[in-house]
Amino acid sequence: MSQIKTHVKKGDTVVVTSGAHKGAQGTIIEVQTAKNRVLIEGVRMIKKAVKPTQERPGGGIIEQEGPIHISNVKLAEEKTKAKTTKKKVAKKK
């Protein structure tokens, strides 16, 4: 299976541009290239019922991040990166 090129990767800080969580900002935990979705830390928290296991004998309800479509996120512009401008030098004749 070939890799699909995306505009974001794991560890990037992104902003949600549309949907119910518009304006939310967080770090990418996982990129699901096959489904074109990303998991963002602390954004779109959903509750999920889990069956009893050895670690969690009572089962219960856990809260975890839900996926957001990759087209609804963009890279957050960091203030630490200063944009440099090129100055044109006039040529003397």
Side-chain angles (χ1 to χ4, degrees):
M1 192 169 179
S2 64
Q3 292 287 344
I4 298 171
K5 185 162 172 58
T6 60
H7 65 285
V8 291
K9 63 180 189 259
K10 182 179 177 180
D12 286 348
T13 303
V14 294
V15 177
V16 179
T17 57
S18 65
H21 304 283
K22 182 177 182 176
Q25 187 170 351
T27 305
I28 293 185
I29 300 170
E30 180 185 353
V31 178
Q32 301 169 348
T33 54
K35 295 181 179 181
N36 288 329
R37 297 193 169 267
V38 292
L39 292 178
I40 304 171
E41 184 178 351
V43 178
R44 192 166 179 254
M45 298 302 287
I46 58 174
K47 293 186 181 209
K48 182 176 180 181
V50 291
K51 291 184 176 183
T53 61
Q54 287 183 346
E55 303 139 358
R56 193 185 296 265
I61 297 173
I62 61 168
E63 228 180 315
Q64 65 184 29
E65 288 86 2
I68 296 177
H69 198 271
I70 201 163
S71 67
N72 294 339
V73 297
K74 71 173 184 176
L75 283 172
E77 294 184 20
E78 297 179 13
K79 293 180 182 176
T80 57
K81 293 181 181 178
K83 291 186 178 181
T84 58
T85 57
K86 292 183 179 179
K87 294 183 180 179
K88 292 186 178 181
V89 178
K91 293 183 181 179
K92 294 183 180 180
K93 291 185 181 181

